[in-house]
Amino acid sequence: MMFLLFCSLSVAFAIAWLGYRRSSIAVFLFSLAFAVVWFLHHVTSHINIDL
Amino acid sequence: MGSILFSRRAARVLNVLDVFGIAFILVMAFAFQIIMKDLPCPLCLLQRFGFLAMGFGSALNLLYGFRASHYALSIVASIYTAFVALRQIALHVVPGTGGYGPEFLGLHLYTWVFIIANLAVLYLCFVMSFAEQYQRHVRVNGHNGFLRKLGKVGIGLLFILVLLNALGVYFECGFGQCPENPTSYIH
């Protein structure tokens, strides 16, 4: 899954280079959101709560 | 003419330095990984991603002209990177738990990431506040030709580093979950 994170960022850079500014920002924000979710998953997976 | 304090040329110089500065940090991270065999943990990989994301705003400035929204993207990425680094500090800050990875000048690398990310937020807020850089000129300044090319080289370098990081993640983790304390590559 981490592999997809870096792939999505590389796609953002590639789209920006090719001249599509708004599309590159959209892909960048998607990859950043993905990174935030991944970070939250990492944090919550280490919480031991006996429900 | 623009202000002497902060012309578009000065903004271009700073953004080029940003791009190469981030590239330097990522190259050093690869040096630790390859030479010192220090494989990055999941949080380390997220911090590398954060640095690359910080460079995206500067790349947009160099490709499409200076906009506050581009700086904002870098600021958001910097805040994210700081949070990830703070998480890793918190995991190891209690005396006796032991740190993770090598140290540089007495501080762990994730501590340096936290410091740099916070400084980046302050720096970006300061740089984006100068309005002269957002003024659009009709005539392209010929003196910026070298800087434009250098900027594109820097952006290309960042792109290569993103691809290399993706490749490194594949060798370390495949398509699945990355190990918490990686010691070897799985591919």
Side-chain angles (χ1 to χ4, degrees):
Chain A
M1 293 300 287
M2 197 80 78
F3 174 73
L4 291 177
L5 187 65
F6 282 96
C7 283
S8 62
L9 187 61
S10 68
V11 169
F13 270 97
I15 293 175
W17 183 273
L18 290 173
Y20 301 99
R21 178 181 158 267
R22 289 186 180 180
S23 299
S24 70
I25 291 174
V27 174
F28 170 80
L29 289 175
F30 167 77
S31 66
L32 193 60
F34 188 4
V36 169
V37 167
W38 193 255
F39 173 62
L40 291 176
H41 161 74
H42 183 273
V43 171
T44 55
S45 65
H46 285 78
I47 296 175
N48 292 318
I49 300 176
D50 187 6
L51 296 174
Chain B
M1 290 284 285
S3 164
I4 295 173
L5 278 175
F6 204 81
S7 64
R8 283 165 59 89
R9 180 177 170 79
R12 188 170 294 278
V13 168
L14 286 176
N15 277 271
V16 169
L17 287 175
D18 291 345
V19 166
F20 277 99
I22 289 167
F24 174 75
I25 290 171
L26 270 297
V27 167
M28 293 306 296
F30 267 118
F32 274 102
Q33 180 175 349
I34 294 168
I35 297 172
M36 296 177 63
K37 308 276 192 276
D38 178 38
L39 270 65
C41 61
L43 286 176
C44 308
L45 289 169
L46 289 179
Q47 287 165 62
R48 288 190 186 189
F49 171 87
F51 270 117
L52 290 164
M54 285 160 64
F56 188 75
S58 299
L60 289 182
N61 276 332
L62 293 171
L63 288 173
Y64 297 105
F66 306 102
R67 296 188 192 210
S69 57
H70 298 165
Y71 286 111
L73 293 177
S74 289
I75 289 171
V76 170
S78 302
I79 293 171
Y80 169 79
T81 308
F83 266 105
V84 176
L86 184 62
R87 163 69 180 170
Q88 194 161 15
I89 291 172
L91 285 172
H92 301 286
V93 75
V94 175
T97 54
Y100 183 89
E103 293 182 14
F104 178 71
L105 299 179
L107 296 175
H108 287 284
L109 296 184
Y110 45 81
T111 309
W112 280 112
V113 170
F114 179 72
I115 293 170
I116 292 169
N118 280 285
L119 288 176
V121 172
L122 294 173
Y123 162 78
L124 289 165
C125 288
F126 177 73
V127 170
M128 77 184 289
S129 64
F130 290 95
E132 293 84 4
Q133 63 185 308
Y134 304 124
Q135 293 170 4
R136 304 218 179 263
H137 298 274
V138 175
R139 186 173 64 88
V140 174
N141 189 342
H143 293 293
N144 282 339
F146 171 71
L147 275 176
R148 287 181 192 274
K149 287 177 190 169
L150 196 60
K152 289 196 171 177
V153 168
I155 295 167
L157 188 57
L158 277 187
F159 179 65
I160 290 170
L161 284 166
V162 174
L163 292 178
L164 286 176
N165 271 287
L167 200 63
V169 168
Y170 173 73
F171 285 133
E172 186 181 329
C173 318
F175 295 117
Q177 190 91 354
C178 289
E180 287 297 327
N181 293 305
T183 53
S184 62
Y185 297 98
I186 65 172
H187 289 288

